[in-house]
Amino acid sequence: MWTPTPPPASTPLWSPPPTSLSAPSTPLFPPQLISPAVVKVLPDGYTIRPLQKSDYRAGMLDVLRVLTSVGDVGEEEWVGRWEWMRGVNEMGFARGGEGIKEGHKEGKEGEGVGMYYVLVVECEGRVVGTGAVVVERKFIHNLGLVGHIEDISVAKNQQGKRLGLRIIEALDYIAKEVGCYKSILDCSEANEGFYVKCGYKRAGLEMSHYYEGSK
């Protein structure tokens, strides 16, 4: 019976790049993946773009607090998570060759594709909306890709401007562009109508198992 040999304890499987390698304005993923159609219909003075390392100070976590509990996350911790996500994306982008400079999938399913696509809506230097699509690599459907829509949130004083709809449209665009065969999300019954208007439909039942001591 063959037994795999684990790497030495001192050898990490992968280490993210140090924070000094990326500038505060470095995007989490290629900006070319932002939908031009969404950009055109945003209200005047609003922009939509990939998450940047500087967005901690622009209030990104305050927007997420409208959605759920965030916790006491300091800037150093937040930047560390951003750098980790960026590093994972870079590993995926590197497998796509030169084509990834345009932000599109190349080669086999998943090659040239990142994993974390977090975007923000910005107005007057502040983050006022955010959302993410996390790309899952599958064995089924010919090694297909599935987009998981997560953490859609809009600042309370910005609601009613259809920013949530634009975020969903932008995330759908990204998922399609990188080669996902579908996107899925979880929502409350109260929000079902909103997501139906965004093109989603009920497909099963959400179930969760929370672990003791988990956040």
Side-chain angles (χ1 to χ4, degrees), residues 6 11 16-17 22 65 95 107 114 126 129 150 166 178 183 197:
T11 304
S22 59
R65 288 187 177 97
R95 293 179 60 85
R126 300 294 297 174
E150 299 282 353
R166 303 311 176 202
V178 302
S183 288
K197 292 179 181 178

Side-chain angles (χ1 to χ4, degrees), residues 209-215:
H209 186 177
Y210 290 92
Y211 302 105
E212 184 177 357
S214 63
K215 296 180 180 180

